[in-house]
Amino acid sequence: MDYLLSDIARIVGGELRGVDLRVREVATDSRSVVANEAVVFAAIDGKNHDGHNYIRRMSERGVEAFIVEKDVELPTKGCGMVRVESTMMALQRLAAYHRSRFEGVVVAITGSNGKTIVKEWAARSMPESVRSFASPKSYNSQLGVALSLIMLEGNEEVAFIEAGISQPGEMERLERMIRPDIVVVTSIGDAHSANFGSEQEKIEEKLILAREAKTIIYSREYPSLASRIEARYGDRELIDSSRETVDDAMELNDALMVDAYHVQALMRKLGYSVDGAIFSAKVAMRLELKEGIDDSIIIDDTYNSDINSVIVALDALHLQSMGRRRVAVISDIRQSGMEPEELYGRVAAAVRKAAVDHLICVGETIAMYQSLFPRGTSFYLTTDELIENFSRERWAHSVILVKGSRDSRFERLSRLLERRTHTTTLEVDLAAMKKNLNYFRRHLPQHHPMVAMVKASGYGTGDVEVARMLQHEGVRYLAVAFADEGVTLRSKGITMPIVVLNADEESFDVMVAHDLEPEIYSFHSLDAFRRAVHRAHREAYPIHVKLDTGMHRLGFIDDEVDLLGRAIHHDTALYVASIFSHLSSADVPAEDDFTRRQIADFDYMSQQLTEWLDYKPLRHIANSAAIVRFAEASFDMCRLGLGLYGYGYEHNEELIPVATLSTRIVQIRTLARGESVGYGRSERTERETTIATIPVGYADGLDRHLGGGRWEVIVGGKRARIIGRVCMDSAMIDITDIAGVAVGDRVTIFGAERGNTLEDMARVLDTIPYEIMTSVSSRVKRIYTER
């Protein structure tokens, strides 16, 4: 985009105040903005943040242009501002106008599932000679679509825009912005169904996107969707992708095969060859975060290389750094449609904006434009040359972005940088975690504070990476179990308040030294922590007082509240930041009366304690289940635990499991009838049986009680039972009835697929998801993805 503020005011119906500046980029997240004179900061008063509160901070970073919906003063005389009634509506009007000037083909992708992967596969399957655009990550919301369209340069031949809805009325606004030429409807299913009365109502809403489209691509694999499309849009070009075939896609399950058919049909419609189409589950992953050598973190995006994805990846590098050194490795960009000098000039500008400390460029073309890049940039003609000059010291204590095209083969560099090489991985979808967070936020008042539980290493998912995301998302507090967990977070750059729930006297001095805030649950812990604060010569140190309302684990009881009030009444060393309690049965409907009694007791006891203070601490008792089931429990703040990770008090279609435990087959062999498998010869084959060995065992978190057919893994979209006993480091699975399985194929131990979820496994083991998640060994490599 390239507009004067006066142009924007005219387009969106706003009023220009101050200087009429030229802008080329829109930003809505204050945390991702680095000094850039061409950016306009659009202040949105959202559910969890009010962007107007950050205008002064943006001005201090060098931002001079703003779009606002409140009467605020210009930060400096050199600033310009467009005052509108609604910033969100203004951005959508600007997006619609910008789209109207675009002369290329616009492809919109919608559906219950598969939107992002279809978009990514399609964009990455385009010929290198064709300039195209794909909306970044999962920018499919009312705001995300607007920002995506505004990013269009105007000279692209094809634009792929993802469109998602969660309630009636939303698609109308998206369609007015996108005005697609081609619509791909990927699927219809249970996702985001909570606000729709029926599947048919959801279908009707999604099909609004196609009302002006010339072509609609769909699949008869979804009969109700197909029949409605054919009845409503029979006068259009309708393409049934279920007639397609894909040869080289053995690693794809049934759902991904349908997505592959959509992409292949789309490529044919656009007039491009399908021979180079990319159908790999790996390609769906965006911005994988991995633990690296020598206390480094790797942001791995080695399957794509276009200017917009480079900018998005560099933004992620900036946000993930948390005070660490930033290193970026970028390859030649094959698919741009731009003159090389313009292209690499934009890359260099993005590098400067992301404040990269050391840039490494790989490729013959990018090396020809060394003069555009910051001094100190390293250049290599090939990946082999970079690897030959590999030195651990240059990567230590850094956040490393590895960003390259497919032919750069940067995956070899990523393997060198990874700390763990275990074949078994726990993939953690941070984008799904954000959606879970926002699901619970929808049940709370606007800007309601949240405490997120990241104890036990984020319930096994990893504490630091999850904490970084939560800090970025504006969560008020993190909660850990022990002081050393909090110390680790501080050492990794987490600056937000951290509550230690199992604070013990021996750790108090360490906690004060690292600004960790204790749960105080007894007079002994109160006196001991007060002494630690005095030793550190601190005042008004925040503490969190725990009340026992019926769980009987920790906390002050009713009879102790007055005495506690007297003890802290005039205490200048301590400051009661919050008063809280713990619900024991908020997820058990049969105990609702007891839960309501706990809530009432907490209300009375906490008010009684507050009367002793001349300020009002935050009060909180609601856990994940209570946020949804007991509105009266919200008080001043809520605590989010297992629900954040996609599991909860009952099966909930709105929650997305964030963790997938997977591995690879390392050996396949065929056994005759009557042969035994595994330790103890506990199981014998009843027919000729093909078994595969997978390198995951009870030392990795695969419970021994899942052997003997009690659990089935997923191979090639099919179920395969565990045969024989689970070993310490491996297990065997029966793949007799699954055709085409090969060594190296992916095996999902648990994930998001029904029948294969963590909750399903918990039922088999007669336990809870907490126990399984926290049992996944630290030797299992964690990979963090942003889709």
Side-chain angles (χ1 to χ4, degrees):
M1 61 170 273
D2 187 350
Y3 296 102
L4 291 168
L5 288 181
S6 57
D7 296 328
I8 294 176
R10 172 180 52 80
I11 293 165
V12 305
E15 175 190 351
L16 174 63
R17 299 175 183 177
V19 181
D20 190 11
L21 301 170
R22 183 170 295 279
V23 294
R24 296 181 176 84
E25 179 183 346
V26 176
T28 59
D29 187 341
S30 63
R31 294 159 294 193
S32 64
V33 175
V34 186
N36 185 345
E37 61 184 14
V39 70
V40 56
F41 177 66
I44 296 175
D45 186 5
K47 182 175 177 60
N48 305 302
H49 306 280
D50 185 352
H52 298 81
N53 296 332
Y54 302 98
I55 289 177
R56 181 66 60 182
R57 183 185 302 175
M58 294 300 95
S59 176
E60 292 170 355
R61 293 184 187 175
V63 177
E64 298 177 330
F66 303 90
I67 301 174
V68 300
E69 60 186 43
K70 295 182 179 180
D71 288 322
V72 295
E73 294 183 3
L74 287 167
T76 65
K77 292 182 179 179
C79 289
M81 186 177 289
V82 177
R83 173 66 161 89
V84 296
E85 290 187 8
S86 165
T87 304
M88 178 69 80
M89 290 180 61
L91 291 177
Q92 291 181 339
R93 288 172 183 160
L94 179 60
Y97 175 81
H98 196 63
R99 158 64 182 100
S100 70
R101 302 174 66 192
F102 180 68
E103 296 180 355
V105 176
V106 174
V107 179
I109 301 115
T110 191
S112 296
N113 296 290
K115 297 183 293 294
T116 302
I117 198 166
V118 167
K119 178 197 68 183
E120 293 295 326
W121 279 350
R124 300 182 192 198
S125 298
M126 292 290 288
E128 292 183 356
S129 59
V130 178
R131 188 169 186 198
S132 63
F133 169 85
S135 50
K137 294 190 290 186
S138 292
Y139 276 33
N140 60 20
S141 64
Q142 298 293 311
L143 176 60
V145 168
L147 294 177
S148 296
L149 290 168
I150 290 170
M151 291 179 189
L152 286 169
E153 295 287 337
N155 58 354
E156 301 92 345
E157 294 183 39
V158 183
F160 301 97
I161 306 295
E162 185 178 340
I165 58 171
S166 58
Q167 59 187 16
E170 291 184 334
M171 193 60 87
E172 179 77 29
R173 296 191 293 275
L174 295 184
E175 193 278 336
R176 284 201 299 265
M177 287 189 283
I178 303 171
R179 290 176 49 208
D181 302 296
I182 301 171
V183 170
V184 180
V185 189
T186 62
S187 62
I188 194 70
D190 296 330
H192 308 294
S193 295
N195 297 313
F196 294 94
S198 65
E199 181 183 86
Q200 197 60 37
E201 181 184 354
K202 186 161 67 168
I203 290 174
E204 294 297 333
E205 179 74 16
K206 289 186 180 296
L207 293 188
I208 291 174
L209 185 61
R211 64 185 175 190
E212 299 295 332
K214 300 180 180 67
T215 303
I216 304 169
I217 298 173
Y218 64 103
S219 172
R220 287 205 174 101
E221 293 284 337
Y222 301 94
S224 58
L225 176 65
S227 61
R228 187 57 189 142
I229 289 174
E230 291 163 3
R232 183 170 175 176
Y233 295 122
D235 59 335
R236 314 290 176 81
E237 180 185 22
L238 302 182
I239 300 176
D240 173 17
S241 68
S242 65
R243 298 175 181 175
E244 295 283 338
T245 58
V246 175
D247 296 328
D248 187 21
M250 287 303 301
E251 69 176 285
L252 305 183
N253 60 31
D254 291 343
L256 290 177
M257 286 298 292
V258 173
D259 295 332
Y261 299 152
H262 288 319
V263 173
Q264 196 156 271
L266 176 59
M267 289 295 104
R268 292 187 197 281
K269 171 57 187 174
L270 291 172
Y272 303 120
S273 169
V274 299
D275 293 338
I278 301 169
F279 303 127
S280 167
K282 172 73 174 177
V283 176
M285 306 301 179
R286 293 300 303 267
L287 304 179
E288 294 184 348
L289 274 68
K290 305 175 182 178
E291 294 181 48
I293 59 175
D294 298 329
D295 193 33
S296 65
I297 296 171
I298 306 164
I299 303 175
D300 189 351
D301 190 8
T302 58
Y303 279 80
N304 193 18
S305 184
D306 62 75
I307 183 60
N308 287 298
S309 70
V310 168
I311 291 171
V312 170
L314 286 167
D315 283 345
L317 173 65
H318 177 76
L319 291 172
Q320 285 289 336
S321 60
M322 296 294 179
R324 293 187 184 209
R325 183 168 170 267
R326 303 181 186 99
V327 177
V329 187
I330 299 176
S331 76
D332 278 349
I333 297 176
R334 304 297 187 191
Q335 181 180 314
S336 72
M338 302 168 62
E339 291 298 321
E341 186 166 2
E342 178 190 358
L343 170 65
Y344 293 113
R346 291 190 60 185
V347 173
V351 166
R352 291 187 177 90
K353 178 185 173 185
V356 173
D357 296 297
H358 182 52
L359 175 65
I360 300 171
C361 296
V362 180
E364 296 180 1
T365 307
I366 198 170
M368 294 171 61
Y369 297 90
Q370 296 188 22
S371 61
L372 300 174
F373 291 92
R375 181 178 299 177
T377 299
S378 301
F379 291 89
Y380 298 91
L381 296 181
T382 65
T383 305
D384 287 336
E385 184 183 353
L386 170 58
I387 291 174
E388 287 170 7
N389 290 274
F390 186 87
S391 170
R392 293 177 68 103
E393 291 75 17
R394 78 191 304 178
W395 314 102
H397 312 296
S398 302
V399 179
I400 306 162
L401 170 65
V402 182
K403 177 67 177 165
S405 58
R406 296 191 302 278
D407 57 2
S408 67
R409 297 176 64 198
F410 273 1
E411 64 273 11
R412 294 179 298 148
L413 175 62
S414 294
R415 285 196 293 268
L416 281 175
L417 293 171
E418 289 179 33
R419 185 167 72 88
R420 295 186 180 91
T421 58
H422 197 320
T423 304
T424 301
T425 61
L426 185 73
E427 298 171 10
V428 182
D429 187 343
L430 295 178
M433 196 175 292
K434 292 176 190 177
K435 292 178 181 178
N436 293 335
L437 173 64
N438 290 327
Y439 164 76
F440 287 100
R441 279 175 162 169
R442 291 200 300 270
H443 289 81
L444 297 170
Q446 190 174 27
H447 305 310
H448 198 74
M450 299 278 279
V451 182
M453 312 299 289
V454 293
K455 62 181 181 177
S457 190
Y459 297 146
T461 63
D463 47 9
V464 176
E465 290 75 14
V466 171
R468 284 194 181 97
M469 182 275 292
L470 294 169
Q471 179 167 281
H472 181 263
E473 290 299 304
V475 170
R476 179 72 65 88
Y477 283 93
L478 298 177
V480 297
F482 300 103
D484 56 354
E485 295 176 311
V487 171
T488 297
L489 293 176
R490 287 283 185 253
S491 70
K492 304 298 184 181
I494 302 300
T495 58
M496 63 189 295
I498 300 174
V499 182
V500 180
L501 298 175
N502 292 75
D504 61 88
E505 183 176 351
E506 292 188 0
S507 68
F508 285 166
D509 290 324
V510 172
M511 289 177 58
V512 174
H514 291 85
D515 288 317
L516 305 175
E517 304 175 15
E519 169 190 308
I520 298 297
Y521 50 83
S522 69
F523 289 108
H524 178 79
S525 63
L526 177 68
D527 293 338
F529 192 75
R530 182 188 289 117
R531 290 193 297 272
V533 172
H534 282 304
R535 285 194 296 271
H537 306 290
R538 300 282 292 271
E539 290 187 350
Y541 198 100
I543 63 173
H544 301 264
V545 175
K546 177 73 171 290
L547 303 179
D548 183 359
T549 58
M551 177 114 172
H552 301 322
R553 183 170 62 182
L554 291 172
F556 294 92
I557 61 174
D558 191 7
D559 292 344
E560 296 174 323
V561 171
D562 274 340
L563 184 58
L564 175 62
R566 293 188 182 95
I568 61 178
H569 180 34
H570 293 301
D571 195 334
T572 58
L574 304 178
Y575 172 83
V576 181
S578 80
I579 305 169
F580 72 107
S581 187
H582 199 102
L583 296 173
S584 65
S585 307
D587 58 342
V588 183
E591 297 292 345
D592 283 357
D593 288 343
F594 181 79
T595 300
R596 292 189 180 94
R597 187 160 67 249
Q598 274 197 277
I599 295 168
D601 288 346
F602 173 71
D603 190 17
Y604 172 76
M605 292 169 65
S606 58
Q607 286 197 56
Q608 187 181 4
L609 181 57
T610 301
E611 289 175 0
W612 286 97
L613 306 172
D614 55 5
Y615 55 89
K616 290 188 175 181
L618 296 170
R619 298 189 297 160
H620 54 106
I621 191 173
N623 56 10
S624 299
I627 290 172
V628 178
R629 301 192 66 235
F630 297 95
E632 68 272 26
S634 61
F635 290 100
D636 306 310
M637 189 159 64
C638 293
R639 297 191 306 277
L640 188 54
L642 198 59
L644 178 66
Y645 302 91
Y647 310 100
Y649 55 94
E650 61 182 18
H651 185 67
N652 189 324
E653 295 291 347
E654 291 293 306
L655 294 179
I656 307 171
V658 305
T660 299
L661 182 65
S662 66
T663 189
R664 299 275 175 179
I665 291 173
V666 295
Q667 180 175 280
I668 296 174
R669 62 180 45 182
T670 300
L671 305 180
R673 181 178 181 274
E675 292 197 58
S676 60
V677 179
Y679 282 118
R681 307 190 71 189
S682 60
E683 190 166 354
R684 296 172 186 267
T685 58
E686 297 180 354
R687 57 173 178 166
E688 184 177 87
T689 302
T690 303
I691 66 168
T693 301
I694 52 177
V696 56
Y698 57 79
D700 302 296
L702 183 63
D703 196 288
R704 288 183 72 248
H705 297 93
L706 295 173
R710 294 192 68 198
W711 185 248
E712 295 178 331
V713 299
I714 305 295
V715 184
K718 307 292 184 182
R719 298 187 184 281
R721 71 185 191 93
I722 296 175
I723 184 170
R725 293 180 183 174
V726 173
C727 308
M728 179 182 286
D729 309 300
S730 59
M732 287 68 74
I733 58 176
D734 184 347
I735 58 170
T736 307
D737 299 321
I738 307 176
V741 181
V743 169
D745 282 0
R746 176 186 169 99
V747 177
T748 302
I749 310 300
F750 64 72
E753 185 173 324
R754 285 188 179 181
N756 183 245
T757 70
L758 200 63
E759 289 173 319
D760 296 319
M761 183 180 284
R763 280 190 287 272
V764 170
L765 293 171
D766 192 24
T767 185
I768 56 177
Y770 285 96
E771 181 179 352
I772 301 172
M773 281 294 294
T774 56
S775 297
V776 177
S777 171
S778 60
R779 76 180 188 179
V780 172
K781 180 169 60 179
R782 269 68 171 172
I783 296 178
Y784 301 88
T785 63
E786 287 263 19
R787 288 187 173 89

